């Protein structure tokens, strides 16, 4: 969430930048400023009362030693009244602090200066592109038909066992899936990321820490008996490793990677764009997460983009990078770049990664700080990215690499699959 200091330094600029995300921040920003002024007055009043009570306590002790019990009892009566007043002020202070926090939780992150204006995905900007487009014939099959032809994925069995959006991978399909996971993990470790194996369920505090709550609870699977959420991405548990942590500056940057299953309800999804692997309720993903000093975070963002691009190049997939406009960005992000690959048989672009810098927004929720050279604590910048999400990568690989002899496996995966072609 935004810090009160950020807001009070330049409220007009905060409101202007929030408008790029389509959010009217005028009232909440003004309310935060006014409530913070009240909070300061209440804090001063309670502090003064605490000091006064301390002085009275000393007087009572001195009077009792002098045998002036009657005078001591008079002051005790004053103390009793003052304690009641102090409690009332403290309760009011707590209510004010809660109200400020609730407002701040409802305000999205402000977009970085490089975020283009726009309302929908149609306003996103293609920043870079690469890879060779597939040359498929008119009889090219979409991945769901290829999966059936070669017995790689059974979508009907998934419906039988669980429901739509929970596919069953079989034989070489399962092996190719595992090969992609291992390739992505090995590549991340080679790039200096520490592998983490996180839990797949998180508590409410973790959801608030990374901003899934209160923004995306409708998209998360919830276990009501235990008050736990299935993770929508490994970003949530991995970033929360650093909740309420003060990191020594020499330990930065922190670079973690993690494989996990991801669970998303995808409420409201329908139509042809959800067929096959295009949109699932459970899918596999390798995530990269970084904790950085603020002055280093945008260089780190470029490194993360280069890492994802390198994976796509090795897989031989055509790709482009989109700089998301304000209206298409997430609630928590300061800037986001989406990677899309071209699906030859579907003849459409499929999102396979989002790489984002959250600046101090998540860190303020998490209380993730570092101790600088000035010996003071400062909020970190947090970043994460998919490297990569598997379903649409699998879809594009199957479609783009189909030949009359079978589906050719990219060379970078063959040491993991043990086969060169699916036939």
């Amino acid at each position: 969430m935004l810090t009160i200091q950020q807001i009070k330094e330049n409220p007009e600029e905060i409101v202007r930048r929030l408008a790029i995300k389509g959010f009217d921040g005028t009232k909440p920003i003004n309310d935060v400023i006014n409530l913070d002024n009240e909070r300061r007055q209440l804090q001063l009043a309670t502090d003064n009362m605490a000091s006064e009570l301390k002085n009275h306590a000393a007087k009572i002790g001195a009077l009792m030693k002098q045998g002036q019990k009657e005078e001591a009892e008079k002051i005790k009566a004053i103390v009793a009244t003052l304690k009641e007043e102090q409690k009332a002020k403290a309760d009011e202070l707590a209510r004010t602090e809660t109200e400020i926090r609730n407002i701040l939780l409802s305000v999205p992150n402000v977009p970085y200066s490089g975020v283009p204006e726009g309302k929908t995905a149609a306003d996103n900007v293609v920043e870079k592109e690469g890879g060779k487009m597939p040359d498929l014939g008119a009889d090219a099959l979409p991945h769901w038909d290829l999966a059936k032809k070669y017995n790689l994925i059974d979508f009907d069995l998934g419906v039988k066992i669980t429901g739509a959006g929970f596919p069953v991978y079989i034989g070489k399909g399962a092996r190719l899936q595992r090969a992609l996971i291992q390739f992505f993990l090995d590549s991340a470790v080679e790039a200096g990321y520490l592998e983490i194996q996180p839990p797949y369920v998180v508590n409410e505090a973790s959801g608030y820490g990374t901003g899934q709550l209160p923004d995306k609870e409708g998209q998360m699977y919830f276990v009501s008996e235990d008050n736990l959420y299935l993770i929508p991405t490994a970003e949530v548990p991995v970033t929360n490793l650093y909740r309420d942590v003060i990191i020594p500056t020499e330990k930065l940057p922190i670079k973690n990677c993690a494989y996990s299953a991801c669970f998303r309800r995808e409420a409201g999804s329908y139509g042809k764009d959800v067929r096959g692997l295009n949109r699932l309720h459970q899918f596999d993903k390798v995530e990269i997460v970084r904790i950085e000093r603020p002055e280093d975070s945008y260089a780190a963002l470029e490194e993360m983009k280069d890492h994802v691009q390198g994976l796509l190049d090795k897989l031989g997939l055509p790709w482009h990078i989109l700089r998301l406009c304000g209206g298409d960005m997430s609630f928590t992000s300061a800037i986001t770049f989406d990677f899309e690959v071209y699906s030859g048989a579907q003849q459409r672009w499929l999102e396979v990664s989002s790489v984002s810098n959250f600046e101090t927004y998540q860190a303020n929720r998490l209380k993730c700080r570092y101790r600088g050279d000035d010996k003071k604590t400062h909020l970190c910048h947090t970043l994460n990215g998919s490297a990569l999400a598997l379903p649409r990568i699998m879809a594009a690989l199957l479609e783009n690499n189909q030949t009359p002899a079978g589906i050719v496996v990219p060379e970078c995966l063959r040491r993991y699959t043990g086969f060169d072609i699916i036939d």
Side-chain angles (χ1 to χ4, degrees):
M1 59 189 175
L2 301 180
T3 67
I4 294 174
Q5 182 181 351
Q6 277 178 291
I7 290 170
K8 298 189 85 168
E9 281 178 353
N10 197 338
E12 294 83 5
E13 177 63 9
I14 294 293
V15 170
R16 185 193 70 79
R17 290 168 65 188
L18 286 172
I20 295 172
K21 279 193 171 182
F23 183 86
D24 184 358
T26 306
K27 184 177 187 307
I29 295 305
N30 286 337
D31 286 348
V32 166
I33 292 171
N34 292 334
L35 285 166
D36 186 61
N37 290 335
E38 290 180 28
R39 182 194 65 80
R40 289 173 178 272
Q41 292 172 4
L42 289 166
Q43 186 67 65
L44 180 62
T46 56
D47 289 347
N48 287 340
M49 287 178 181
S51 178
E52 194 173 347
L53 285 168
K54 186 178 179 180
N55 291 336
H56 284 319
K59 287 180 183 177
I60 292 169
L63 289 169
M64 293 297 286
K65 283 181 181 180
Q66 296 168 11
Q68 300 183 43
K69 186 176 179 181
E70 187 176 338
E71 290 299 317
E73 291 299 326
K74 291 179 182 178
I75 297 178
K76 283 182 180 180
I78 295 171
V79 165
T81 301
L82 190 57
K83 281 184 175 180
E84 289 180 4
E85 292 175 359
Q86 186 195 36
K87 184 181 182 305
K89 288 290 184 185
D91 290 344
E92 191 176 350
L93 175 61
R95 285 193 296 271
T96 302
E97 290 174 337
T98 298
E99 191 172 351
I100 291 171
R101 178 173 172 78
N102 288 340
I103 294 172
L104 289 175
L105 286 171
S106 73
V107 177
N109 198 0
V110 294
Y112 178 65
S113 58
V115 171
E117 295 188 16
K119 295 182 179 180
T120 69
D123 300 312
N124 295 336
V125 177
V126 177
E127 184 171 272
K128 192 177 180 182
E129 54 190 358
K132 184 179 179 181
M133 296 292 280
D135 184 16
L136 302 177
D139 59 346
L141 298 176
H143 68 271
W144 50 86
D145 287 339
L146 291 167
K148 186 173 183 179
K149 178 179 178 180
Y150 294 103
N151 194 29
L152 304 175
I153 307 167
D154 196 317
F155 295 99
D156 293 333
L157 271 180
V159 172
K160 173 185 175 181
I161 297 167
T162 308
F166 296 88
V168 175
Y169 297 84
I170 300 168
K172 288 186 175 180
R175 186 140 185 157
L176 181 58
Q177 181 87 342
R178 182 157 51 89
L180 283 165
I181 293 167
Q182 196 61 58
F183 169 58
F184 295 153
L185 281 174
D186 285 352
S187 298
V189 171
E190 288 169 11
Y193 290 86
L194 176 68
E195 184 178 350
I196 303 292
Q197 188 173 30
Y200 289 1
V201 291
V202 294
N203 56 30
E204 192 173 65
S206 294
Y208 274 95
T210 45
Q212 277 67 37
L213 300 176
D215 179 49
K216 293 184 175 66
E217 58 265 57
Q219 295 296 331
M220 297 172 73
Y221 286 97
F222 179 56
V223 185
S224 58
E225 292 83 354
D226 304 300
N227 199 31
L228 296 173
Y229 294 84
L230 276 67
I231 61 170
T233 165
E235 165 205 345
V236 182
V238 174
T239 311
N240 270 278
L241 295 174
Y242 307 98
R243 175 157 43 95
D244 297 321
V245 173
I246 298 175
I247 303 166
T249 187
E250 64 270 15
K251 298 292 186 182
L252 294 174
I254 289 172
K255 299 169 66 175
N256 291 158
C257 66
Y259 155 73
S260 77
C262 303
F263 304 88
R264 299 183 187 180
R265 294 185 61 243
E266 298 290 3
S269 297
Y270 61 92
K272 64 182 178 65
D273 291 347
V274 305
R275 191 166 182 186
L277 297 171
N278 287 345
R279 192 173 296 275
L280 302 177
H281 295 303
Q282 177 184 321
F283 61 94
D284 293 319
K285 180 156 67 82
V286 172
E287 190 81 358
I288 52 176
V289 173
R290 294 181 67 149
I291 312 292
E292 297 277 349
R293 299 177 191 85
E295 62 268 27
D296 299 330
S297 72
Y298 278 90
L301 182 66
E302 292 303 311
E303 286 182 20
M304 295 170 74
K305 288 164 58 184
D306 289 344
H307 178 75
V308 174
Q309 178 185 320
L311 296 176
L312 297 176
D313 284 337
K314 288 178 181 177
L315 290 170
L317 293 172
W319 53 267
H320 64 206
I321 305 174
L322 300 176
R323 183 186 290 253
L324 298 195
C325 70
D328 199 34
M329 286 172 59
S330 75
F331 187 86
T332 52
S333 173
I335 187 168
T336 296
F337 295 90
D338 275 4
F339 285 74
E340 296 183 333
V341 297
Y342 190 73
S343 173
Q346 297 180 75
Q347 298 184 4
R348 58 190 292 258
W349 291 94
L350 303 174
E351 180 195 333
V352 294
S353 175
S354 284
V355 181
S356 301
N357 190 342
F358 302 91
E359 296 187 354
T360 61
Y361 191 86
Q362 286 183 332
N364 190 33
R365 288 173 173 238
L366 295 159
K367 296 296 177 278
C368 173
R369 295 157 289 173
Y370 72 99
R371 195 173 299 281
D373 296 334
D374 58 2
K375 307 303 180 186
K376 296 179 180 179
T377 59
H378 307 273
L379 289 172
C380 299
H381 277 197
T382 64
L383 306 91
N384 67 53
S386 316
L388 288 156
L390 272 73
R392 294 168 188 165
I393 290 288
M394 176 81 88
L397 285 177
L398 296 179
E399 293 183 12
N400 296 0
N401 294 331
Q402 60 183 298
T403 72
I407 300 169
V408 178
V409 175
E411 186 174 346
C412 63
L413 299 179
R414 293 174 188 173
R415 66 189 177 109
Y416 302 109
T417 60
F419 50 84
D420 300 349
I421 193 165
I422 299 171
D423 54 16

